[in-house]
Amino acid sequence: MFALVKRNIKIYFSSIPGVIMSLLGALIAFFIYIGFLQKNLESSWSQIANVKQMLDLWMMAGIVAIAGITTSFQALGQLVKDRETRTADDMRLTDLSLSKQNLAYVLSSSIISFLMQIITFVVMDIYFTIVDKINISLENSLVALIFMALGAIGATLLNEIIVLFIHSSTTFSRLSAVIGAIAGFAVATYLPYGTLSSTAQTLVKLVPSSYEASALRSLFLNKISENQMPASVRSTMVNYLGIHFKINGYQLTRADTGYVMIGMILILSLVIILASLAIGKRKVQVEG
């Protein structure tokens, strides 16, 4: 199983164009931000000190979460290719069961997603530090890794459910472009959370990576928002930028957000297990 994990990771990083394409959603968010969103938001919150740095940190959190979604989906493309070329069937002739095979794809995609989020975070940190003099402490960076790991697993499991029903590389490529385009909306980055309708906000809260983005925003922005703005303004900013989500009127803390992500990971894992069993049973019936 671990040989399959290693093989999938090696294949992903062997294609530089594929790696770049897997970051399409993150790149879109970055260019939208520096192109016009940054200026619009700055003008709306001009009364706040260090608003540029605050918005940079908000965007960084979103871009990292987007990278987690799109890179894990791209990595799962190998599963589609292996099924299409019957390589997956050949693997089952060995001692690698279907469950272990699926676990290997999930593990490799989660690892890829986690690594690409780290790379994205480092690149964004260097860029915004040079341009706008942002500052993220080492302690916060280390805590961020925990949420990146949870986000990587959650994004991979959600993407795995989608990929289970894709059997063509052509279909996968088309859907990959769609995922890259909508990922920014899914984590409330192309448009701030507070500008979305209540229905759209509910949909955002169904995506595990949106909680990762929320946790990272809370982590990066907490010091600035507490020290440099009145409580009333801070409350408005928290809701508008999606720094803390509310569920049934209760505002989640950063720890609560982590627990929600773990819960979603468990639910998605159960859905995948049940879906895999159903698909496997149907395949046996067809082959029989």
Side-chain angles (χ1 to χ4, degrees):
M1 184 180 78
F2 291 105
L4 180 56
V5 171
K6 183 178 179 180
R7 170 242 190 193
N8 291 343
I9 294 174
K10 185 177 180 180
I11 289 175
Y12 174 85
F13 285 106
S14 66
S15 173
I16 301 302
V19 171
I20 295 174
M21 282 301 297
S22 70
L23 290 170
L24 178 62
L27 291 172
I28 290 174
F30 176 69
F31 288 121
I32 286 177
Y33 177 67
I34 63 173
F36 68 91
L37 187 58
Q38 183 183 40
K39 297 296 183 184
N40 290 344
L41 291 174
E42 279 182 33
S43 61
S44 299
W45 300 91
S46 57
Q47 73 277 16
I48 298 174
N50 295 323
V51 64
K52 181 176 289 189
Q53 288 80 5
M54 185 182 68
L55 293 173
D56 289 347
L57 292 168
W58 169 77
M59 178 53 66
M60 271 186 63
I63 290 176
V64 169
I66 292 170
I69 296 173
T70 58
T71 55
S72 67
F73 188 81
Q74 190 69 27
L76 285 170
Q78 190 58 45
L79 172 58
V80 177
K81 291 179 182 177
D82 288 343
R83 284 203 304 247
E84 189 176 33
T85 59
R86 312 290 292 187
T87 302
D89 293 336
D90 294 339
M91 291 178 188
R92 286 198 289 274
L93 296 177
T94 64
D95 61 349
L96 192 65
S97 65
L98 179 61
S99 59
K100 288 184 177 179
Q101 185 177 315
N102 286 336
L103 179 59
Y105 286 105
V106 169
L107 281 176
S108 58
S109 297
S110 296
I111 292 170
I112 288 169
S113 175
F114 180 58
L115 292 175
M116 292 305 293
Q117 285 185 80
I118 293 174
I119 293 172
T120 302
F121 171 73
V122 171
V123 172
M124 292 293 100
D125 187 31
I126 292 173
Y127 173 82
F128 286 121
T129 297
I130 294 173
V131 175
D132 293 330
K133 304 297 186 292
I134 67 165
N135 179 37
I136 301 176
S137 68
L138 177 60
E139 180 183 356
N140 283 348
S141 297
L142 293 176
V143 174
L145 294 178
I146 298 174
F147 289 103
M148 289 182 200
L150 291 174
I153 298 170
T156 298
L157 292 174
L158 184 59
N159 287 329
E160 170 78 359
I161 294 174
I162 299 172
V163 169
L164 281 174
F165 301 96
I166 301 176
H167 304 284
S168 163
S169 293
T170 302
T171 302
F172 177 84
S173 296
R174 291 171 180 170
L175 190 56
S176 180
V178 174
I179 295 293
I182 68 173
F185 292 107
V187 297
T189 298
Y190 293 165
L191 293 173
Y193 180 78
T195 65
L196 303 176
S197 65
S198 58
T199 301
Q201 289 180 356
T202 300
L203 292 175
V204 165
K205 287 186 284 190
L206 294 177
V207 180
S209 295
S210 68
Y211 292 89
E212 176 194 354
S214 173
L216 294 179
R217 287 164 184 159
S218 169
L219 191 64
F220 298 160
L221 293 171
N222 188 54
K223 186 176 180 180
I224 293 177
S225 60
E226 281 189 346
N227 297 342
Q228 300 181 11
M229 64 179 68
S232 59
V233 176
R234 183 176 187 272
S235 177
T236 301
M237 182 69 76
V238 163
N239 293 326
Y240 184 77
L241 295 180
I243 297 173
H244 292 287
F245 289 154
K246 286 184 178 180
I247 296 181
N248 292 328
Y250 173 75
Q251 184 170 288
L252 301 177
T253 64
R254 198 181 307 138
D256 292 332
T257 300
Y259 296 142
V260 170
M261 293 178 72
I262 293 172
M264 296 181 82
I265 287 171
L266 294 175
I267 293 172
L268 290 171
S269 298
L270 179 60
V271 171
I272 289 173
I273 291 171
L274 295 176
S276 297
L277 289 174
I279 292 172
K281 184 178 180 180
R282 185 175 63 183
K283 188 171 183 180
V284 169
Q285 291 174 344
V286 171
E287 291 177 349

